[in-house]
Each structure stands twice: as C-alpha cells, then as structure tokens.
Amino acid sequence: MAFSDDNGGFAFSCDDAKISIVASTWNTRLSQLARMGPMFVMTRLLPNLEYIGRIVGKRPREIYILASTEAEADARQLKAQFPEIRIALHHNVNAKVVLVAPNIIWLGSSDFGESKKIESAVGLHSDIVFNKTVNALFNPIWSQAREI
C-alpha cells in the first residue's frame, strides 16, 4: 500500500535519506550551516542555550525558530544574544523539525538543542519535500504564532 496525500500530510518519494542515531547531534547535522540557505526550526523547547548559540552563531541570520510558549524565557534570551534571528511562539508546538534551504529536512525525536537521551532523526535531501513542508507546516503555524 502506498501513502497518498490527505488531511494528515503529503506523500513523497526521496532518493537521498538518512537515519541518524545516538551519536548524531543537531550540531553535527548542521555543521555546514554557514554555507546553507535560510533555516526554519520547529521545537517545543530550547534546551541548553549555550549549545544552541554555538549552532546559530555559525550564521546568525536567516534563521526562523518556532517554539512552544513553554520556551518563552529561553527564546527571549536567545533573541537577546542573536537579535537578527526571528523567533515566534505558539501554544501548541511539539514538532521537532529543522529545514535548511534549499533542500534539507531533518525530522527528529529531540528538541532543537542538546539532549542527553538516546535520540534519532531522519534526514532528507529533496527540493519538493522542503518546499511542501515549509508551505504546509512551518508557514501556517508561524502565521498563527506570536513573534518576539
């Protein structure tokens, strides 16, 4: 049985995908951030601001972070340290998604930041999936969120 588009999402094919396990971190996955396009992050919390700062400090512009309202204090600290990044808060965000233009998608089990737990993520390279995810997931929630 093949997946199909419906109210719960969209189907896609992808020739380049990877499952990262245990040793891979957000810092490792985004090690080339300085040479990449805009980055869109969805996360519930922002664990370990020092760690996050090392990631976004590689290129503290064209970064959009959409976090849960539970992360407001940390989001404000991050915004004060990196005023060029854009951060918005939404009461119902729990997704763990990082999208880096033009075609990188990471869907993971951990919030954007440092985790001490066993985590996994699926990474894809796909222009189509990137654009559909930004337009169907990130942008609609960002439009409902409160930017700080």
Side-chain angles (χ1 to χ4, degrees), residues 39-110:
M39 181 170 79
F40 306 88
V41 175
M42 292 183 78
T43 185
R44 180 171 161 234
L45 301 174
L46 295 161
N48 193 336
L49 292 180
E50 182 181 325
Y51 178 86
I52 294 169
R54 287 194 305 267
I55 296 171
V56 300
K58 295 174 187 174
R59 191 209 60 219
R61 64 191 184 328
E62 294 186 298
I63 295 175
Y64 303 83
I65 297 175
L66 184 52
S68 168
T69 52
E70 296 172 68
E72 183 164 358
D74 288 332
R76 290 190 179 281
Q77 280 186 284
L78 189 62
K79 179 71 174 174
Q81 186 177 0
F82 299 99
E84 290 186 43
I85 66 173
R86 294 181 62 188
I87 303 175
L89 303 172
H90 189 281
H91 70 281
N92 210 23
V93 171
N94 192 45
K96 283 86 168 145
V97 178
V98 176
L99 308 152
V100 185
N103 67 355
I104 298 170
I105 304 98
W106 281 104
L107 309 167
S109 61
S110 67

